Amino acid sequence: MRNLKLSEDHFDLKKINKYATLMTLGNGYMGIRGTHEEDYPIQKRGLFVAGIYNNSSLEDPEELVNLPDVMGMDLEIDGEVFSSLKGKTISYDRTLHMDRGELTKDVVWEREDGLRLQFTFRRLAAKHDVHVLASKVSIESLNRDVSITLRTGIDAQQTNFGRQHVLEDHVQVHDETYMQGTYTTTRSHQTIGLFSTCTYSKSCDVHFFAKNRQLLSESTAALKKNEPFHMEKLNAVYTSIDQKVDRLTEIGLAKVKQLSEEGYERILQQSENAWEDFWQERRIEIHSSNPMDQQAIDFAQYHLEIMAPKHNPNLSVAAKGLTGEGYKGHVFWDAEIFILPYHLYNDPKAAKQLLEYRYNRLPEARERAKANGHEGAQFPWESARTGKEETPAYAAINIKTGERQKVASALAEHHIVADIAYAVLHHYHVTGDEEFMAARGLTMLEETSKFWLSRTSERDGQLHLLNVIGPDEYTEFIDNNAYTNYMAHYVVKQTLQVLDKFNKLDEEFRKSAKDFLNRLYLPKENADQLIPQDDTFLGKPAIDLSKYKKNQGSQSILLDYSRGEVNEMQILKQADVVMLLYLFPDLFSKEVVEKNFSYYEDKTIHDSSLSKAIHSILAMRCDQEELAYQLFQEACLIDLGPNPHSSDEGIHAASLGSIWLAVFSFLNLSFEQEGIKLNPTLPEAWSSFKLPLHYKGREITVEMNQNTLCIEKVGGDPIDMEIGKQHYQLIDHLEIPLHKDNELHKERT
Ligand code: BGC
């Protein structure tokens, strides 16, 4: 496949953790950070299995556990440890091959005494068999005979920012070959079995030892000049989520034995085949004057794929996927509003599973609603294993006062409840999956709607949603956040319709829902055509934000102003009214959308990575193509840009989802009563474009260049299409020339 690569052409200690994140390998079951085999100061290793969480005390929230490491390796050559911090690097290339899910590093290194060695490191997390991690090291001495020693194994010294989460249960070397480490999390009592074996291209002197929570094998070989040496390390990972604990040993050992028979190349081939199928079916192709556009969408698709736990419907996607410890591996609204749509239009089963994760946690959501004096179900702002609220009570410490700042989101960022219901409806509209709706969706809709009905306060005969936090977290505890009110209204309205359609609407609920819909206050545009973000927002002073906008993503405003002060100004962390406009394109007139987009963009710092691409979509809808493209490119740089620390603690999963959302939204697709409306407006720099999408059992590919728009369909019934005001029926293939006098073309020029 063309150019599906992300490379680093020199060793850079400053960027070591950023690249460890970007070059993560994974398969939805687990993620392994792209750290170097050899150790470096500040390098943060990471192996995460979806669903393995623990907390170190009752007061702490659960966090995704950084598991014992199997990738680290000491390489000693004639008694001296290899490190890029010493000697001279003659050549260097580290590449994430997204086409086959492999990370490689090729280095020619010269020691201070002139000894030259060539190293090749390769590794993969198998796509065809999610329990498998494999690596291969090749070493060749280029100018003299040497002795090499490799030390590697299973290292349980890993922590989450210093917190130790696992106890060593059982450590053993079987048949003087297969290493086993079995661990149990201290409070959640989940068990993890790691199994490793090393094979060598020539006989080595091998011995094993266990100490200080490490089980290591040490192998020594004598190498002749120009005689390549290879070591393969093959690993299997199983946990109590997927296996009975008393069978872990048997299953893990059988797997590593099988792996050592197959060997690295064969494992790679099978994994590569699975990746090839993925890219063949799902790759978006963009021919742009800026090649970064293709790379950014490839990168987004790669990561969206490796973070998706498709093997288990009881798991969801964390804010950092499986790439780092950031946000403690918690699941936010990011999953339903920014990530789920990608799967919905590419692999609807994966989208459904994300909803099942929430469905399975309805009991905790009901309990939480009750505890807070509400009805129905109140999903937590941050969720992990159990479905309980996992938002940390306190965030960063103010080092001047020594006081910790409270995190307010758990108390009032209630829009998550509507976001989840919105995703249930979105799934239904795009898949038409009546079975899921009947079995799970209806309950989710009814319970979340009941939450909203009970969440209101009455004032002068109208219903209000008081004391909330909208998506803009720089404005806390306000009344009638436009995004929240409109979302709640939409969800309750749709719930009524769907319950009715499925004959499940009971009279009492109908009455109270109708009353809610009639009386809920929905902020309208004022005389200046502005939709107030909340009851007081537009009355607050505005300041010049250019300094902070230049530093976006860093939250530098909080160095100059306290949270309380920021709260009293017109300052947005991220899209809020703009988020509302994005989700509901027909709610307001184009004029109102334009007015609000420019007003609110001006006041948005984009300190959250969830903001930029959504603004890009809005800019495109407002015919500001140049700005849309600029915002799109800036969104692409959130992870891939030059900031050396932007992704140290993990990938920006929602941002990657929103990069896809932007590309998808440029097609201007809408689905109406079984028909599809399409009106693409692509950035000027894109000369051609291809995007696959799934809609109600049909696989559709939209392809466009300057002269033609082509739409292919495989599977499902023919479908009506409205393209640039013309009507067509898509049976299997449509080809529309883009003439100068054609509506579509006019809209593009
Ligand atoms: C954003 C939230 C987001 C969370 C996790 C926060 O900084 O404000 O909207 O859900 O990060 O990505």
Side-chain angles (χ1 to χ4, degrees):
M1 289 258 171
R2 194 169 52 96
N3 250 341
L4 271 155
K5 286 184 185 152
L6 177 75
S7 295
E8 184 193 46
D9 63 7
H10 65 282
F11 176 83
D12 187 347
L13 191 61
K14 244 196 356 243
K15 291 189 178 163
I16 201 161
N17 285 322
K18 177 185 176 113
Y19 272 86
T21 294
L22 304 187
M23 294 184 163
T24 294
L25 297 169
N27 50 29
Y29 176 87
M30 60 185 158
I32 177 109
R33 279 166 67 75
T35 44
H36 297 265
E37 276 71 4
E38 66 278 14
D39 277 332
Y40 292 102
I42 73 163
Q43 171 168 262
K44 185 74 187 152
R45 297 191 183 279
L47 169 63
F48 305 96
V49 170
I52 298 288
Y53 287 93
N54 190 58
N55 56 355
S56 35
S57 75
L58 187 61
E59 291 73 41
D60 286 321
E62 287 198 349
E63 56 188 344
L64 187 66
V65 177
N66 196 341
L67 293 169
D69 173 68
V70 291
M71 283 298 155
M73 192 177 295
D74 282 342
L75 292 112
E76 243 176 66
I77 299 99
D78 280 345
E80 243 189 72
V81 173
F82 161 67
S83 164
S84 285
L85 293 177
K86 297 189 296 193
K88 199 155 117 198
T89 301
I90 309 295
S91 67
Y92 181 98
D93 173 75
R94 202 152 79 107
T95 297
L96 173 68
H97 301 268
M98 295 184 277
D99 53 346
R100 54 176 195 265
E102 191 187 28
L103 178 61
T104 61
K105 176 165 93 169
D106 289 288
V107 191
V108 176
W109 180 72
E110 191 175 275
R111 227 163 63 167
E112 282 90 343
D113 62 359
L115 169 65
R116 252 190 203 199
L117 293 141
Q118 180 168 336
F119 297 99
T120 300
F121 299 89
R122 300 163 65 190
R123 75 171 77 148
L124 62 91
K127 188 162 174 58
H128 66 289
D129 184 348
V130 294
H131 299 280
V132 176
L133 282 173
S135 65
K136 180 167 178 172
V137 184
S138 305
I139 307 170
E140 184 177 336
S141 169
L142 300 179
N143 51 6
R144 64 171 195 245
D145 299 351
V146 289
S147 153
I148 55 160
T149 299
L150 306 180
R151 230 176 344 265
T152 185
I154 306 172
D155 175 4
Q157 289 185 2
Q158 305 309 309
T159 66
N160 283 64
F161 296 128
R163 277 181 299 266
Q164 176 60 256
H165 284 301
V166 297
L167 297 174
E168 220 174 27
D169 280 348
H170 186 88
V171 165
Q172 189 176 350
V173 179
H174 301 266
D175 305 333
E176 291 177 41
T177 307
Y178 308 107
M179 292 178 272
Q180 171 186 8
T182 305
Y183 308 89
T184 299
T185 52
T186 54
R187 294 175 47 83
S188 59
H189 306 296
Q190 291 172 295
T191 303
I192 305 100
L194 295 165
F195 303 84
S196 280
T197 186
C198 299
T199 62
Y200 309 90
S201 60
K202 70 178 277 185
S203 73
C204 289
D205 177 18
V206 183
H207 72 274
F208 296 91
F209 56 95
K211 70 168 193 192
N212 302 332
R213 296 171 61 95
Q214 292 176 317
L215 172 61
L216 296 174
S217 80
E218 188 175 87
S219 23
T220 303
L223 286 198
K224 294 247 170 299
K225 175 181 156 193
N226 292 337
E227 175 198 21
F229 170 82
H230 310 284
M231 183 188 93
E232 296 186 0
K233 185 172 181 199
L234 310 165
N235 314 279
V237 183
Y238 291 91
T239 76
S240 52
I241 298 180
D242 40 276
Q243 306 297 336
K244 288 213 164 67
V245 174
D246 57 6
R247 293 208 54 221
L248 274 181
T249 304
E250 181 197 330
I251 291 171
L253 282 178
K255 180 56 76 178
V256 275
K257 284 178 191 168
Q258 176 205 323
L259 296 177
S260 57
E261 274 158 32
E262 287 179 355
Y264 184 88
E265 303 300 337
R266 171 93 190 94
I267 299 167
L268 173 66
Q269 191 54 57
Q270 295 171 76
S271 181
E272 182 171 353
N273 291 346
W275 273 109
E276 242 174 60
D277 293 347
F278 166 77
W279 290 112
Q280 199 71 42
E281 280 170 25
R282 307 266 53 106
R283 191 176 189 199
I284 292 174
E285 287 176 32
I286 299 171
H287 285 264
S288 168
S289 51
N290 176 10
M292 172 72 195
D293 295 345
Q294 178 71 60
Q295 190 185 39
I297 193 73
D298 286 339
F299 181 76
Q301 286 198 271
Y302 168 81
H303 272 280
L304 288 164
E305 182 66 9
I306 66 166
M307 69 178 77
K310 297 184 186 180
H311 60 286
N312 184 338
N314 197 26
L315 300 168
S316 187
V317 177
K320 304 286 184 195
L322 296 169
T323 65
E325 293 171 20
Y327 283 121
K328 302 186 183 298
H330 291 175
V331 180
F332 294 70
W333 69 312
D334 307 30
E336 285 77 17
I337 298 294
F338 293 83
I339 293 161
L340 179 139
Y342 171 76
H343 297 297
L344 195 49
Y345 290 103
N346 283 286
D347 185 357
K349 187 166 164 250
K352 184 169 80 178
Q353 293 190 339
L354 299 183
L355 298 176
E356 288 185 22
Y357 164 84
R358 295 293 190 179
Y359 176 83
N360 295 339
R361 284 155 184 77
L362 265 175
E364 292 76 16
R366 285 194 191 103
E367 259 172 45
R368 184 163 158 73
K370 203 163 160 202
N372 291 336
H374 304 306
E375 284 169 24
Q378 182 183 357
F379 286 104
W381 173 244
E382 295 183 29
S383 180
R385 183 178 60 97
T386 63
K388 295 206 174 103
E389 179 58 77
E390 297 285 0
T391 308
Y394 295 95
I397 197 160
N398 178 329
I399 51 174
K400 285 188 198 150
T401 62
E403 276 172 23
R404 288 195 178 272
Q405 293 172 349
K406 281 208 165 189
V407 180
S409 300
L411 305 176
E413 206 160 344
H414 293 167
H415 64 83
I416 178 94
V417 181
D419 301 329
I420 292 168
Y422 177 95
V424 172
L425 292 161
H426 197 183
H427 173 261
Y428 181 57
H429 293 147
V430 174
T431 61
D433 182 346
E434 309 251 314
E435 212 178 296
F436 178 79
M437 185 51 95
R440 312 228 193 289
L442 288 180
T443 312
M444 294 172 83
L445 290 178
E446 194 172 347
E447 299 281 288
T448 47
S449 289
K450 281 184 178 161
F451 168 78
W452 291 114
L453 305 192
S454 69
R455 174 67 179 75
T456 53
S457 308
E458 192 168 341
R459 245 197 236 152
D460 306 329
Q462 266 199 315
L463 299 177
H464 302 263
L465 294 172
L466 307 181
N467 213 23
V468 297
I469 301 174
D472 165 28
E473 294 181 348
Y474 283 171
T475 311
E476 295 177 345
F477 301 114
I478 37 75
D479 299 338
N480 293 316
N481 167 252
Y483 175 87
T484 308
N485 286 28
Y486 277 101
M487 278 292 265
H489 192 269
Y490 169 79
V491 162
V492 173
K493 193 170 168 192
Q494 290 273 320
T495 300
L496 267 184
Q497 287 173 11
V498 182
L499 283 173
D500 197 22
K501 184 172 172 208
F502 281 77
N503 286 325
K504 294 280 181 203
L505 184 55
D506 80 63
E507 189 47 28
E508 198 190 326
F509 178 75
R510 194 189 66 81
K511 261 173 72 190
S512 36
K514 283 258 172 200
D515 180 54
F516 172 89
L517 293 175
N518 290 334
R519 293 201 297 141
L520 180 70
Y521 167 68
L522 292 173
K524 295 279 177 315
E525 65 266 31
N526 65 13
D528 297 325
Q529 295 191 308
L530 294 177
I531 304 154
Q533 181 172 309
D534 59 64
D535 283 353
T536 52
F537 187 86
L538 293 176
K540 293 176 177 173
I543 59 166
D544 177 11
L545 292 175
S546 33
K547 170 178 159 197
Y548 307 105
K549 274 173 165 274
K550 269 193 213 121
N551 242 331
Q552 54 196 254
S554 66
Q555 310 206 349
S556 58
I557 185 110
L558 297 175
L559 301 175
D560 292 348
Y561 297 94
S562 71
R563 268 195 176 265
E565 285 167 330
V566 171
N567 211 29
E568 294 314 315
M569 293 187 276
Q570 293 193 36
I571 300 174
L572 280 79
K573 179 179 178 188
Q574 65 201 91
D576 194 304
V577 168
V578 166
M579 197 66 209
L580 170 71
L581 300 176
Y582 154 65
L583 287 179
F584 300 100
D586 302 321
L587 207 53
F588 297 97
S589 70
K590 192 158 181 214
E591 230 183 308
V592 171
V593 172
E594 281 170 357
K595 184 86 192 189
N596 282 274
F597 170 63
S598 84
Y599 185 84
Y600 282 106
E601 204 290 324
D602 183 52
K603 294 167 180 58
T604 304
I605 300 179
H606 301 291
D607 268 345
S608 159
S609 66
L610 278 59
S611 196
K612 266 283 155 70
I614 301 298
H615 279 77
S616 163
I617 297 171
L618 258 288
M620 198 57 114
R621 285 195 200 148
C622 295
D623 302 323
Q624 299 185 45
E625 193 206 292
E626 233 171 84
L627 177 63
Y629 187 45
Q630 182 198 322
L631 291 165
F632 170 76
Q633 290 186 306
E634 287 173 14
C636 294
L637 293 178
I638 289 173
D639 283 305
L640 290 174
N643 178 347
H645 300 296
S646 62
S647 313
D648 282 0
E649 292 176 13
I651 209 81
H652 297 86
S655 162
L656 297 176
S658 66
I659 288 170
W660 178 85
L661 283 173
V663 173
F664 180 73
S665 298
F666 293 162
L667 288 179
N668 259 318
L669 275 166
S670 51
F671 302 97
E672 282 156 16
Q673 294 177 2
E674 301 300 312
I676 302 182
K677 246 171 140 174
L678 176 70
N679 203 350
T681 327
L682 303 180
E684 205 55 51
W686 297 4
S687 54
S688 73
F689 168 82
K690 182 176 162 191
L691 180 141
L693 70 108
H694 183 101
Y695 180 65
K696 291 193 176 167
R698 305 168 180 93
E699 288 296 339
I700 298 174
T701 308
V702 181
E703 213 169 337
M704 195 167 167
N705 60 33
Q706 268 138 347
N707 306 317
T708 325
L709 172 68
C710 260
I711 306 173
E712 301 270 353
K713 177 181 79 59
V714 178
D717 294 337
I719 188 161
D720 291 336
M721 298 213 63
E722 190 185 315
I723 303 173
K725 309 230 161 68
Q726 301 281 335
H727 290 272
Y728 303 87
Q729 198 184 35
L730 175 61
I731 298 172
D732 48 19
H733 182 86
L734 270 180
E735 201 166 314
I736 301 161
L738 299 172
H739 303 302
K740 282 219 163 52
D741 51 358
N742 163 317
E743 272 297 330
L744 198 66
H745 197 274
K746 266 194 243 154
E747 275 164 44
R748 266 180 67 68
T749 48

